[in-house]
C-alpha cells in the first residue's frame, strides 16, 4: 500500500491565504564553516534571515539548508505550526520530528537526562550530523513532535546559515526533510520548491547541502551501548571511536525487517522502536522513504561483473516491455556495461569515495523522475562507513526490493 493510501498520513494542503511560497536567496562564501563567524552577510541577506526567523516565531513554516539536507522548520513548541509541517509534507502522524537547536544550553530545557556516553558524543560531533534520542521533559514541546513518545531526537546542525536562523528565531525548531513525504530528500532549494511550493511559508536558499544524507540517529541505552536507529553522516566507526569498541549496535537492518513484518526485533532494536513497535523512535525507521516515482530495485552480487551482467539483462528486458529505464551505478563499474545500458544512466561517483555518492544520491533519484524513468536499477555498495547510510537510503527507496545477481 502506498503512502498516500495510508490513513495515518496527513493530507497535504496548501498554506492558507498565501499566493506563493517566499524564497530568500542568501549568498555567503563562508558556508563551509560551522560557526557564526563563518557568516558575513550583506544587508539584504540579513533582512532575509530576519524575515525567515520572524516567520518561524509567528508560527509559519520555513525550509532552510543544513549540512545534511534541507529541513522544513517550525517552532517545536507550537502545535499548530508543527501540524502545518505534517500537512505540508503529507507525513504520517506517528513519525517523530527531530528538534534543531543552536546552543548546547538549550538541550537542558528540552530533555530530562543526558547519559555520559551521549554527552561524549555531543562533545565529539556537535555541531554536526548526529541526532541523539533523549528523554523529553514533559510539556516543553508539542506532542506532535515526539509522536506521543517519552523521547525526542535533538541535533545541532553544522551549517552556519542554519545556526544563524535558529539563533535569530530564538526557539527550538522541529525540522524533518523539506520534501513531500516518501520522496527523495532535498539537497537544493529547487528540490524543496518542486515538492512544497505553495504548501509552506518560505525557503531560505543557502546553496547545495554538503553531506547529502540525513543525520545519524542514535539512542544510548542505560548500559552505555549506542543503538544506531538510522545511519547517516556520522559513521558507526566514528561512533565507536568515542563510545569504545563493541559499544555500537548498528540495528537499522533489523528495524527495517521488523517494519516490513519480516522479523521480530532483537532486544536493542526493540528498545529503540518502542514497546509494540508501531511508533518509531526516529524518522526513517518505518515507512518507505526517498523513493523516485519509477519502480526501483537494488542489485547485489558476488562481483561487480555479476551485478553488471544481471542489471544489463534486466534493463534490456524492461526496454522491450516499453519501460523507460534508469541505471544508478558507481564510476568504476561503468565499463562493465554495454553501450547505452539504460535510457538514463546516473553515476554516484567513485565507489572508493562514498562521500561523493552520499552528496549526489537524492539528486540522482530526482533526475530519474525528470527523465520519466519507470524501471530503475541501482548497484549495491559495501555497507561500511558512509556506505551503510547509502545502502539504508537505497533500500528504503526501493521498498526493500533486492535482486540477487549470484
Amino acid at each position: 500500500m502506498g503512502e498516500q493510501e495510508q490513513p495515518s498520513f496527513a493530507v497535504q494542503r496548501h498554506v492558507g491565504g498565501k499566493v506563493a511560497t517566499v524564497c530568500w536567496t542568501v549568498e555567503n562564501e563562508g558556508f563551509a564553516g560551522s560557526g557564526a563567524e563563518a557568516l558575513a552577510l550583506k544587508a539584504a541577506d540579513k533582512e532575509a534571515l530576519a524575515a525567515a526567523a520572524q516567520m518561524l516565531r509567528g508560527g509559519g513554516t520555513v525550509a532552510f539548508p543544513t549540512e545534511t539536507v534541507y529541513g522544513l522548520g517550525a517552532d517545536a513548541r507550537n502545535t499548530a505550526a508543527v501540524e502545518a509541517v505534517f500537512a505540508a509534507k503529507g507525513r504520517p502522524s506517528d513519525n517523530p520530528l527531530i528538534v534543531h537547536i543552536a546552543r548546547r544550553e538549550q538541550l537542558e530545557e528540552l530533555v530530562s537526562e543526558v547519559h555520559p556516553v551521549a554527552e561524549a558524543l555531543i562533545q565529539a560531533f556537535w555541531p554536526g550530523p548526529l541526532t541523539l534520542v533523549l528523554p523529553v521533559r514533559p510539556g516543553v514541546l508539542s506532542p506532535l513532535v515526539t509522536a506521543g513518545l517519552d523521547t525526542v531526537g535533538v541535533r545541532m546542525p553544522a551549517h552556519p546559515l542554519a545556526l544563524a536562523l535558529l539563533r535569530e528565531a530564538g526557539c527550538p525548531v522541529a525540522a524533518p526533510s523539506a520534501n513531500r513525504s516518501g520522496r527523495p530528500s532535498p539537497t537544493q532549494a529547487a528540490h524543496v520548491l518542486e515538492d512544497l511550493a505553495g504548501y509552506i511559508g518560505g525557503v531560505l536558499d543557502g546553496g547545495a547541502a554538503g553531506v547529502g544524507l540525513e543525520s545519524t540517529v542514535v539512542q544510548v541505552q542505560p548500559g552505555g551501548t549506542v543503538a544506531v536507529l538510522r545511519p547517516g553522516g556520522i559513521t558507526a566507526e566514528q561512533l565507536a571511536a568515542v563510545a569504545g569498541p563493541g559499544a555500537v549496535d548498528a540495528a537499522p537492518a533489523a528495524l527495517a525487517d521488523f517494519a516490513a513484518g519480516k522479523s521480530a526485533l532483537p532486544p536493542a532494536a526493540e528498545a529503540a522502536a518502542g514497546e509494540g513497535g508501531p511508533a518509531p523512535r526516529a524518522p526513517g525507521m518505518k515507512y518507505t522513504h526517498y523513493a523516485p516515482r519509477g519502480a526501483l530495485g537494488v542489485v547485489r552480487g558476488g562481483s561487480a561483473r555479476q551485478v553488471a551482467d544481471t542489471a544489463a539483462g534486466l534493463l534490456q528486458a524492461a526496454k522491450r516491455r516499453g519501460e523507460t529505464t534508469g541505471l544508478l551505478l558507481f564510476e568504476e563499474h561503468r565499463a562493465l556495461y554495454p553501450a547505452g545500458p539504460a535510457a538514463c544512466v546516473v553515476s554516484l561517483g567513485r565507489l572508493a569515495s562514498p562521500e561523493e555518492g552520499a552528496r549526489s544520491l537524492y539528486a540522482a533519484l530526482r533526475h530519474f523522475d525528470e527523465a520519466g524513468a519507470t524501471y530503475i536499477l541501482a548497484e549495491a555498495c559495501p555497507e561500511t562507513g558512509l556506505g551503510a547510510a547509502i545502502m539504508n537510503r537505497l533500500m528504503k527507496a526501493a521498498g526493500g526490493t533486492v535482486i540477487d545477481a549470484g
Side-chain angles (χ1 to χ4, degrees):
M1 181 180 291
E3 281 192 353
Q4 288 78 4
E5 299 170 305
Q6 292 275 6
S8 61
F9 278 67
V11 176
Q12 190 179 30
R13 62 174 184 265
H14 285 276
V15 177
K18 288 189 178 293
V19 176
T21 297
V22 180
C23 186
W24 304 279
T25 300
V26 176
E27 298 178 1
N28 186 314
E29 296 180 357
F31 280 167
S34 61
E37 68 279 0
L39 279 172
L41 298 179
K42 299 176 183 178
D45 294 334
K46 291 180 180 178
E47 292 177 4
L49 185 69
Q54 177 58 43
M55 187 174 286
L56 285 174
R57 285 195 300 272
T61 53
V62 176
F64 60 95
T66 76
E67 79 283 16
T68 57
V69 299
Y70 272 71
L72 176 59
D75 185 343
R77 306 164 302 183
N78 184 329
T79 292
V82 175
E83 198 277 335
V85 169
F86 281 87
K89 287 174 60 69
R91 185 181 176 91
S93 60
D94 66 347
N95 204 1
L97 305 181
I98 291 172
V99 175
H100 294 63
I101 60 175
R103 298 181 178 87
R104 173 62 179 82
E105 55 268 26
Q106 287 180 280
L107 185 63
E108 312 305 332
E109 301 170 6
L110 303 179
V111 305
S112 60
E113 181 183 359
V114 180
H115 191 284
V117 173
E119 182 62 43
L121 294 175
I122 288 171
Q123 294 300 319
F125 300 117
W126 278 14
L130 180 70
T131 295
L132 289 117
V133 174
L134 301 163
V136 66
R137 285 188 183 277
V140 299
L141 298 173
S142 165
L144 291 179
V145 171
T146 62
L149 298 171
D150 59 0
T151 57
V152 62
V154 185
R155 90 175 187 99
M156 185 186 296
H159 196 293
L161 186 58
L163 289 172
L165 176 64
L166 294 169
R167 292 189 182 105
E168 183 80 13
C171 61
V173 172
S177 55
N179 57 288
R180 177 77 167 98
S181 195
R183 296 271 293 133
S185 298
T187 54
Q188 303 172 24
H191 298 160
V192 178
L193 292 170
E194 179 185 352
D195 281 7
L196 299 180
Y199 293 94
I200 62 176
V203 179
L204 195 60
D205 183 355
V211 176
L213 296 178
E214 293 86 352
S215 62
T216 301
V217 181
V218 303
Q219 184 174 29
V220 178
Q221 305 301 311
T225 300
V226 180
V228 180
L229 308 186
R230 182 183 72 185
I234 301 297
T235 67
E237 293 83 355
Q238 289 175 295
L239 294 169
V242 175
V248 177
D249 179 10
L255 289 166
D257 286 345
F258 168 76
K262 298 177 182 177
S263 70
L265 286 177
E270 185 174 6
E275 186 176 355
R281 290 279 174 184
M285 289 171 60
K286 187 173 182 182
Y287 298 96
T288 297
H289 289 273
Y290 325 117
R293 294 189 177 96
L296 172 65
V298 179
V299 186
R300 63 193 342 161
S303 70
R305 168 59 70 183
Q306 289 174 310
V307 168
D309 288 347
T310 298
L314 291 170
L315 290 166
Q316 185 62 33
K319 181 179 179 181
R320 289 194 295 267
R321 297 194 303 269
E323 303 270 17
T324 300
T325 56
L327 173 63
L328 188 61
L329 51 68
F330 290 93
E331 198 59 38
E332 293 96 326
H333 303 157
R334 190 184 288 271
L336 299 176
Y337 291 86
C344 180
V345 178
V346 181
S347 172
L348 282 181
R350 296 170 297 153
L351 189 63
S353 301
E355 64 276 6
E356 296 177 16
R359 279 195 299 269
S360 59
L361 176 60
Y362 292 141
L365 295 176
R366 286 177 177 268
H367 186 67
F368 289 124
D369 288 345
E370 294 167 5
T374 59
Y375 181 86
I376 307 161
L377 295 179
E379 293 184 338
C381 68
E383 298 187 48
T384 56
L386 270 178
I390 293 172
M391 281 300 295
N392 173 268
R393 303 314 193 271
L394 276 176
M395 291 299 292
K396 296 292 287 187
T401 301
V402 176
I403 298 163
D404 188 359

